[in-house]
Amino acid sequence: MNDSNSCDSTLLLLRGFDIFQHITEEEYVELALVHNYVEAASGEYIYFPHQNRNKLYFAKDGFIKLGYIDESGNEVIKEIIQKGEVFGQLTLEKNNDQDEFAQAYKSDVSLCAFTMEDFVRILQRKPEMAIAFSFHLGNKLRKVENRLLNILNKDVKSRLAQLLLQLAKDKNAVVNNTAVIDKFLTHDDIAKLIGSSRQTVTTTLNQFEKENIISISKKEILINDLSGLKKIGEG
């Protein structure tokens, strides 16, 4: 492949992310974007605790599980990263020693990775990208904050409803009063995300299905009554 075709293909991949969608081919060359495309097989770790320093990752394909091991040796899931999302050294602070791990979840994943130095240099040259990144980061932090508040202040039924609503929103899956969500999370994963037990999650999902709020198949969850689920989430 010649240099021109290589530039076109990598630029096309970058434009899959909102932050990079306005980069022209000339700017791509001018900025000398230095990045690495990383691929990881399902179950493979992208980085371990205290290993991810000075790198920012953009998820191109697949799901990535972020978590840590608590004092009792149990795995705690912080977040499931999906296509188009950002993770890693989000604060742009050099040598920030994080205790989380990142693992390819359910399937193979591909990522675009930048060092902090290169990414900060891009933001300095492209203020509109800095603004887009700040909005993206703000939305991400609000999601995490809302989930923590839900765990502290709401019962399991409400927390589960809020998680389903957030998944539907993330995928832009809402149509009128319904939504379809890919069934990529196990009941155990859902329990870890909302601070519950697998058995309680299974019982609550069955209750939602019995009330015709949702329908569950092998591959997806259909939200039949979005407004009803919202009422539960607000409870």
Side-chain angles (χ1 to χ4, degrees), residues 107-223:
S107 62
D108 297 351
V109 303
S110 56
L111 313 163
C112 178
F114 289 86
T115 65
M116 283 298 94
E117 291 82 359
D118 288 328
F119 193 70
V120 169
R121 179 175 56 82
I122 295 168
L123 297 185
Q124 289 172 339
R125 296 280 300 277
K126 298 285 291 182
E128 64 272 27
M129 282 183 58
I131 293 172
F133 181 74
S134 67
F135 275 113
H136 186 101
L137 185 58
N139 288 333
K140 188 180 186 70
L141 292 176
R142 277 193 295 273
K143 282 171 58 177
V144 173
E145 182 181 13
N146 288 338
R147 186 158 61 84
L148 290 175
L149 288 173
N150 287 338
I151 290 174
L152 290 172
N153 300 318
K154 295 189 175 184
D155 60 20
V156 173
K157 194 173 180 181
S158 298
R159 299 201 298 265
L160 180 53
Q162 286 284 2
L163 178 63
L164 294 176
L165 291 168
Q166 185 62 58
L167 291 173
K169 182 180 179 182
D170 289 344
K171 283 294 185 180
N172 294 317
V174 176
V175 179
N176 296 325
N177 195 40
T178 65
V180 178
I181 307 168
D182 293 335
K183 193 179 175 185
F184 64 92
L185 292 171
T186 67
H187 290 190
D188 187 53
D189 291 334
I190 292 173
K192 290 176 180 177
L193 282 168
I194 66 172
S196 182
S197 68
R198 182 191 57 78
Q199 184 177 3
T200 301
V201 166
T202 300
T203 300
T204 308
L205 285 172
N206 289 339
Q207 182 181 350
F208 286 172
E209 191 168 26
K210 186 177 180 180
E211 296 171 357
N212 200 36
I213 293 172
I214 64 173
S215 299
I216 304 174
S217 67
K218 288 184 178 180
K219 293 185 177 181
E220 61 188 25
I221 296 175
L222 170 63
I223 301 177

Side-chain angles (χ1 to χ4, degrees), residues 13-91:
L13 289 172
L14 281 177
R15 282 180 178 156
F17 303 102
D18 290 343
I19 295 173
F20 296 101
Q21 64 181 340
H22 300 300
I23 290 284
T24 65
E25 184 174 336
E26 292 74 18
E27 288 171 332
Y28 180 87
V29 174
E30 177 190 352
L31 290 168
L33 295 184
V34 179
H35 55 276
N36 296 304
Y37 285 97
V38 180
E39 294 187 346
S42 178
E44 184 178 345
Y45 285 88
I46 299 158
Y47 56 79
F48 293 99
H50 309 296
Q51 214 179 35
N52 177 47
R53 290 190 177 190
N54 303 330
K55 278 195 176 181
L56 190 66
Y57 297 86
F58 293 80
K60 177 181 171 291
D61 285 306
F63 301 98
I64 299 95
K65 177 168 65 176
L66 302 184
Y68 65 92
I69 306 300
D70 67 15
E71 295 178 354
S72 301
N74 299 312
E75 180 184 88
V76 178
I77 298 178
K78 295 169 62 177
E79 192 176 3
I80 300 294
I81 299 295
Q82 302 185 48
K83 178 179 178 180
E85 293 190 75
V86 184
F87 67 102
Q89 200 72 38
L90 294 176
T91 62

